[in-house]
Amino acid sequence: MKSHISKLLSNTITNKELQELNEWLVSEKNQDILKQYILDSHDVNLSMLKNNLDESFLKVIDKIEHKNSTKSNSNFNLVFKRRYLKYAASLLIFISLGYFYLNKKEDPKTVQTITNTQILAGTDKAILTLEDGTNITLKKGETYQSNHIESNGESLRYNASTKSKTDIAYNYISIPRGGEFFVILSDGTKVWLNSESKLKYPVNFISGDIRKVELLYGEAYFDVSSSDNHSGARFRVITQGQEVEVLGTEFNIKAYKSDNFIATTLIEGRVAVTHMDSSMVLKPSQQAIITDKTSDITINTVDIDNEIAWKNGFFSFEKQSLYNMLKTLSRWYDVTIVYKDQAKKNLVFSGALKRTSDIKELLINIEETERVEFEIEGKTIIVK
């Protein structure tokens, strides 16, 4: 697959090879290979990047793209290329550094060890509920296979069945706190599910009918199989009264129970977001926000990398309140947050952390700002 990466960087890759590379990059191990390849090929100096992350980040991308600007390939998908170059560079900058900043002291006081208690990062795990109500536990290291369903413990795949085209049965997949999972639906649509999420979907879609799934709660990233492959059948995602309709695109929906809003972010393509009497069409990098207090839809332009960092294996916070940051982390590390000082909720920080990292790395870095202290008791993080 290194030849595909080389072709990606040299602007000679074909559409078929792009698709193969896309599927290959689902694996975290392969993402690391891509990261290392670009690091070796473009001599990225991480110590220099740390000082001005945004500017240096763009320089990395511009350097790679300028190198390829004199070459052309009619089959080359520029959007795809830029997304993966940007993703690989962000891995280099954010994950390798594991940084956290904002009003950090030049000479921070020595931070005492928070605790010897180990808080494990989340992993691949889910509960699959079959049409007859049977619950199947899916987790890393264990396989499951039945009829047209198969799982290797890290993903779940549905194969098209020969059942009656008018028969429709639903399965549910629930992701607990401290979990995530990847699902390929029977139409080829790919869904990444974050912690504390639940998706309802047909075992098989009825040919010619609208393909409809329901994100009951939580967060999911959808890479929808094009309607061109399904006799023009559109794809819809229903989420707590919101409806997203697409023809073939990639987008992220965040709709946690503890939040009072639903955020739909378009990565590429085109979607229509409908809520009550309002409807808006999104463009790439736009995010639709709806709340339970109004029927209006608010459209914002956002940083895609921050919004879908979870799907790519890391946390990325840009001027976020400590409350929102710890709420996000609590789902993945399955911990409870207790505030002894309520005012600390409003402190603002920026930073990034690989999802497989020990949460103590982040807490210690935040403590170095000398604005907050943490104490860990079992699975509870106390903010002081």
Side-chain angles (χ1 to χ4, degrees), residues 300-356:
N300 301 314
T301 299
V302 297
D303 185 328
I304 288 176
D305 293 306
N306 282 335
E307 296 300 320
I308 65 170
W310 69 270
K311 179 254 183 183
N312 292 330
F314 62 104
F315 296 101
S316 179
F317 302 106
E318 181 65 28
K319 295 182 180 179
Q320 287 285 313
S321 69
L322 183 63
Y323 175 79
N324 285 334
M325 285 169 41
L326 293 181
K327 181 168 66 172
T328 297
L329 293 168
S330 70
R331 298 185 186 113
W332 180 239
Y333 291 95
D334 190 16
V335 293
T336 300
I337 310 297
V338 174
Y339 291 86
K340 282 194 172 179
D341 183 348
Q342 296 296 315
K344 302 294 185 182
K345 290 182 177 181
N346 299 318
L347 293 176
V348 176
F349 297 93
S350 296
L353 181 75
K354 194 171 182 180
R355 278 166 72 95
T356 54

Side-chain angles (χ1 to χ4, degrees), residues 104-110 368 370:
K104 193 168 183 176
K105 303 294 185 181
E106 291 296 326
D107 298 305
K109 66 181 181 181
T110 301
E368 287 181 351
E370 299 186 18

Side-chain angles (χ1 to χ4, degrees), residues 19-285:
Q19 182 59 36
E20 291 171 351
L21 183 59
N22 185 19
E23 295 175 356
W24 182 75
L25 284 170
V26 169
S27 164
E28 185 175 344
K29 179 181 178 181
N30 293 339
Q31 293 166 10
D32 290 338
I33 293 173
L34 174 62
K35 177 186 71 173
Q36 190 59 49
Y37 188 93
I38 291 183
L39 177 61
D40 293 340
S41 300
H42 299 281
D43 192 26
V44 180
N45 187 327
L46 293 178
S47 63
M48 293 176 64
L49 291 173
K50 187 174 183 179
N51 294 326
N52 192 332
L53 294 172
D54 291 337
E55 181 180 350
S56 299
F57 173 81
L58 292 174
K59 285 181 179 179
V60 172
I61 299 302
D62 290 341
K63 180 178 178 181
I64 296 173
E65 293 192 338
H66 178 72
K67 179 180 177 181
N68 299 323
S69 62
T70 59
K71 301 180 180 181
S72 63
N73 184 333
S74 59
N75 292 326
F76 189 73
N77 186 326
L78 180 61
V79 173
F80 181 99
K81 170 195 162 189
R82 186 173 183 85
R83 175 150 44 96
Y84 277 106
L85 291 180
K86 194 174 184 183
Y87 165 55
S90 64
L91 280 170
L92 289 174
I93 296 169
F94 295 119
I95 296 179
S96 298
L97 291 175
Y99 78 101
F100 224 85
Y101 69 94
L102 202 65
N103 295 336
K104 193 168 183 176
K105 303 294 185 181
E106 291 296 326
D107 298 305
K109 66 181 181 181
T110 301
V111 179
Q112 297 181 349
T113 301
I114 292 177
T115 178
N116 291 324
T117 302
Q118 185 178 21
I119 296 179
L120 298 177
T123 188
D124 299 301
K125 57 183 175 181
I127 301 296
L128 170 64
T129 304
L130 303 177
E131 54 192 280
D132 64 0
T134 301
N135 287 327
I136 308 295
T137 299
L138 306 174
K139 59 183 178 181
K140 199 168 185 176
E142 296 185 7
T143 61
Y144 170 77
Q145 188 166 359
S146 174
N147 297 325
H148 301 281
I149 309 172
E150 56 183 328
S151 172
N152 61 2
E154 299 178 20
S155 63
L156 181 67
R157 177 186 289 271
Y158 284 77
N159 298 312
S161 128
T162 56
K163 272 188 173 184
S164 165
K165 293 185 178 180
T166 60
D167 240 358
I168 189 161
Y170 290 93
N171 280 184
Y172 297 79
I173 186 164
S174 306
I175 317 300
R177 290 170 67 88
E180 64 180 358
F181 222 74
F182 173 60
V183 182
I184 301 179
L185 303 179
S186 62
D187 68 336
T189 291
K190 299 172 183 177
V191 187
W192 287 258
L193 288 154
N194 206 348
S195 303
E196 211 169 24
S197 302
K198 188 171 185 177
L199 181 71
K200 175 184 177 182
Y201 53 92
V203 174
N204 281 283
F205 295 95
I206 297 175
S207 178
D209 282 4
I210 291 175
R211 296 168 288 156
K212 187 182 297 184
V213 302
E214 185 173 358
L215 179 62
L216 298 172
Y217 55 81
E219 184 169 19
Y221 182 101
F222 293 86
D223 181 352
V224 177
S225 178
S226 174
S227 59
D228 293 339
N229 301 324
H230 305 282
S231 304
R234 299 192 177 194
F235 192 96
R236 286 182 185 168
V237 182
I238 310 300
T239 307
Q240 301 173 22
Q242 171 187 276
E243 182 178 290
V244 175
E245 182 166 329
V246 305
L247 294 174
T249 190
E250 297 185 32
F251 58 98
N252 191 84
I253 299 179
K254 183 177 182 181
Y256 281 105
K257 295 178 184 177
S258 58
D259 294 335
N260 63 352
F261 65 89
I262 300 174
T264 302
T265 307
L266 182 61
I267 313 306
E268 65 177 57
R270 190 166 176 264
V271 299
V273 178
T274 301
H275 174 61
M276 300 177 70
D277 297 327
S278 300
S279 183
M280 300 289 289
V281 176
L282 298 186
K283 298 177 181 179
S285 298

